[in-house]
Amino acid sequence: MSTRRSVVITEFGPPQVMSVRTEDLPDPGPGEVQLRQTAVGFNFIDVYQRKGAYPLPSPTGLGFEAAGTVEAVGPGVAEIRTGDRVAYMNAGVGAYADRRNVPADKLVVLPDGVSDEAAATLLFKGMTAQYLLRKTHAVQPGELLLVHSAAGGVGQILTRWATALGATVIGTTGSPQKRDAALAAGCKAVVDLNEPEWPTAFLEATGGRKARVVYDAVGKDTLIRSLDCAAPFGLVVSYGGASGPPPAIEPELLNKKGCLFLTRPSVFPHNADAATFRANAADLFDAIGRGHVRVDIGERFSLDRVVEAHEAAEARRVVGAILIEP
Ligand SMILES: NC(=O)c1ccc[n+]([C@@H]2O[C@H](COP(=O)([O-])OP(=O)(O)OC[C@H]3O[C@@H](n4cnc5c(N)ncnc54)[C@H](OP(=O)(O)O)[C@@H]3O)[C@@H](O)[C@H]2O)c1
C-alpha cells in the first residue's frame, strides 16, 4: 500500500470544483501496474468533463493522459516490467495524480527518444492527429487542408504532421498573438477567427481554392461556415466543440454546399485494443523521431495549480500544450 495525491471533483462546474486529495493507493491488482507519474497531459476534453458536458459519475478524478515509471506489477502482467518508462492516453479518467494503478494493456513503453514530458503532452493529441491524417482521410501531397485552432495542442501537431506529408495547411487562430505559433507549425497562411468574414479571408489566402479537408474542433462558432471552405465532394471533420457543441446539420445542406462528407470521429474507437493502440503509437513515435511531430509546451502547472491550468485553457491564453507536473 502506498499513498498518492490526485485531483477529485464531487460536483461539475467551474475550475474551482477541482481539489487535490491525499489517499491510500492499494497494490496493483491482476492485470494492473502501479505508476509513479512524472508528467500529466492536459486535454480540452478534461474541461468538458469537469463542466459535466460529457457526464461522469461523481465523485471522479480527471485527466486521460500521463507518463511515468512502473513501480510495481500486478499478477498476470507479462509485457510491462518494473522500471519501464510508459505512457497512456485511454485508461479511464484519473490521470491528474502523482501515482496510479493502470491496466497494463493501456500502456505503451516509451522509446529512448521520447521523454516523459513529450509523451504526456503528445500521446493523446498526437494519436488524435494520427487517426485524423491516416484514417479519417489519408492525407496526400499537394492537398489543401484547413486546420482550425492551428496554434493549439492538437492543431499544432496536425499542422506539422500534415505539412510533413506534403499537404498545404491554412490555419485559423482565435487571436493575432497565436499567429506566429501557427506559422511556425507549418501553416502557409493564418486566418484570424475574429475577422467576421473569416471564410472570405481563407479564400483570399488560397486564391479561391477550397480545402480537400476541413478539420474543425471549435464547433459551435465555426462549423456551419467551415462548410463554405470545403471543396466539392470534400470532407468536413467535426472532432470537437471548444466553443460549444456543434450545431445540427441537415443532410440537404451538405448537398447544397457541394456534396460534402461530414464526419464526427473520436480517438478512443481508433485505439480500442492494445495491439492497434501500440501500432498507432509506433507510427506517432516514428513521426516524432523524424521531426515531423513535436509540440511546444506553452505553460506548466503543478498539480496544486490545476485550477489555474483550466482557467488558462478556457481563456484561450495558452499557445501550445499545457503540462501538469505531479
Ligand atoms: N475527437 C477527438 O478524437 C478529439 C481528441 C482530442 C481532442 N479533440 C478536440 O480537439 C480540440 C483541441 O484539443 P486540445 O486539447 O489540443 O485543446 P487546445 O487546442 O489546446 O485548446 C482548444 C483550442 O480551441 C480554440 N477555441 C476556439 N473557441 C474556443 C473557446 N470558446 N474556448 C476555448 N477554446 C476555444 C482555442 O484556439 P484559438 O483561440 O486559436 O481559436 C484553443 O487553443 C478540442 O476541441 C478537443 O475537444 C478531439
Side-chain angles (χ1 to χ4, degrees), residues 44 48 124 128 131 149 153-154 173-174 178 217 239 242 264-265 267 316:
F44 216 82
Y48 307 146
F124 191 93
T128 301
Y131 83 76
S149 309
V154 176
T173 60
K178 296 182 178 176
Y239 71 102
R264 199 311 185 188
V267 69
R316 299 164 79 167

Side-chain angles (χ1 to χ4, degrees), residues 286-298:
D286 178 67
I288 294 171
R290 291 170 190 267
H292 294 171
V293 168
R294 75 161 211 264
V295 71
D296 296 326
I297 296 175

Side-chain angles (χ1 to χ4, degrees), residues 30 46 64 68 83 96 104-105 182 186 196 208 212 220 238 258 278:
D46 307 343
F64 271 106
Y96 289 7
D105 64 359
R212 174 68 186 84
K220 181 168 172 268
S238 170
R278 288 175 185 154

Side-chain angles (χ1 to χ4, degrees), residues 19 68 92-93 110 125 149 177 179-180 193 213 269 282 286-287 289 299:
S19 62
V93 288
L110 296 176
K125 300 168 194 69
S149 309
Q177 292 83 343
R179 181 187 162 80
D180 288 348
L193 279 185
V213 186
D286 178 67
E299 242 176 291

Side-chain angles (χ1 to χ4, degrees), residues 18-326:
M18 294 182 289
S19 62
V20 178
R21 271 191 201 168
T22 301
E23 62 190 359
D24 289 336
L25 180 64
D27 294 337
E32 288 185 335
V33 307
Q34 189 163 111
L35 292 186
R36 181 175 55 80
Q37 302 198 143
T38 52
V40 175
F42 164 85
N43 292 284
F44 216 82
I45 190 172
D46 307 343
V47 171
Y48 307 146
Q49 292 189 316
R50 190 208 71 225
K51 286 179 165 172
Y54 291 177
L56 292 173
S58 177
T60 181
L62 281 179
F64 271 106
E65 169 178 54
T69 302
V70 176
E71 284 196 323
V73 171
V77 174
E79 75 274 29
I80 304 282
R81 281 173 280 198
T82 304
D84 279 350
R85 272 191 331 111
V86 295
Y88 63 86
M89 46 137 292
N90 184 18
V93 288
Y96 289 7
D98 62 358
R99 274 199 169 67
R100 191 179 182 198
N101 292 339
V102 177
D105 64 359
K106 299 293 183 186
L107 295 170
V108 61
V109 175
L110 296 176
D112 288 344
V114 178
S115 69
D116 290 13
E117 286 197 353
T121 44
L122 276 171
L123 198 59
F124 191 93
K125 300 168 194 69
M127 296 289 265
T128 301
Q130 196 270 347
Y131 83 76
L132 289 172
L133 297 170
R134 302 277 200 214
K135 304 270 169 57
T136 305
H137 173 73
V139 168
Q140 303 298 317
E143 287 183 334
L144 177 68
L145 312 177
L146 171 58
V147 173
H148 285 296
S149 309
V154 176
Q156 278 199 29
I157 298 170
L158 193 54
T159 299
R160 272 209 178 86
W161 203 342
T163 305
L165 292 173
T168 299
V169 177
I170 308 293
T172 71
T173 60
S175 63
Q177 292 83 343
K178 296 182 178 176
R179 181 187 162 80
D180 288 348
L183 288 173
C187 288
K188 191 173 170 222
V190 179
V191 172
D192 182 357
L193 279 185
N194 293 307
E195 173 71 48
E197 293 309 317
W198 63 261
T200 307
F202 162 74
L203 290 173
E204 280 168 9
T206 65
R209 186 178 168 199
K210 292 190 171 184
R212 174 68 186 84
V213 186
V214 180
Y215 292 105
D216 187 334
V218 174
K220 181 168 172 268
D221 290 352
T222 50
L223 189 64
I224 290 290
R225 288 192 296 168
S226 284
L227 303 180
D228 291 324
C229 301
F233 316 111
L235 175 63
V236 177
V237 185
S238 170
Y239 71 102
S243 65
I249 289 179
E250 291 285 338
E252 185 53 26
L253 186 61
L254 301 176
N255 173 25
K256 288 195 179 116
K257 297 290 179 183
C259 298
L260 303 180
F261 293 82
L262 173 67
T263 184
R264 199 311 185 188
S266 163
V267 69
F268 300 120
H270 284 88
N271 293 283
D273 62 84
T276 308
F277 164 56
R278 288 175 185 154
N280 289 342
D283 186 25
L284 173 65
F285 295 152
D286 178 67
I288 294 171
R290 291 170 190 267
H292 294 171
V293 168
R294 75 161 211 264
V295 71
D296 296 326
I297 296 175
E299 242 176 291
R300 295 160 184 270
F301 298 87
S302 67
L303 201 60
D304 291 306
R305 292 179 60 222
V306 69
V307 170
E308 290 169 61
H310 276 223
E311 285 173 343
E314 286 181 89
R316 299 164 79 167
R317 202 182 73 217
V318 181
V319 182
I322 290 174
L323 184 73
I324 299 172
E325 297 172 325

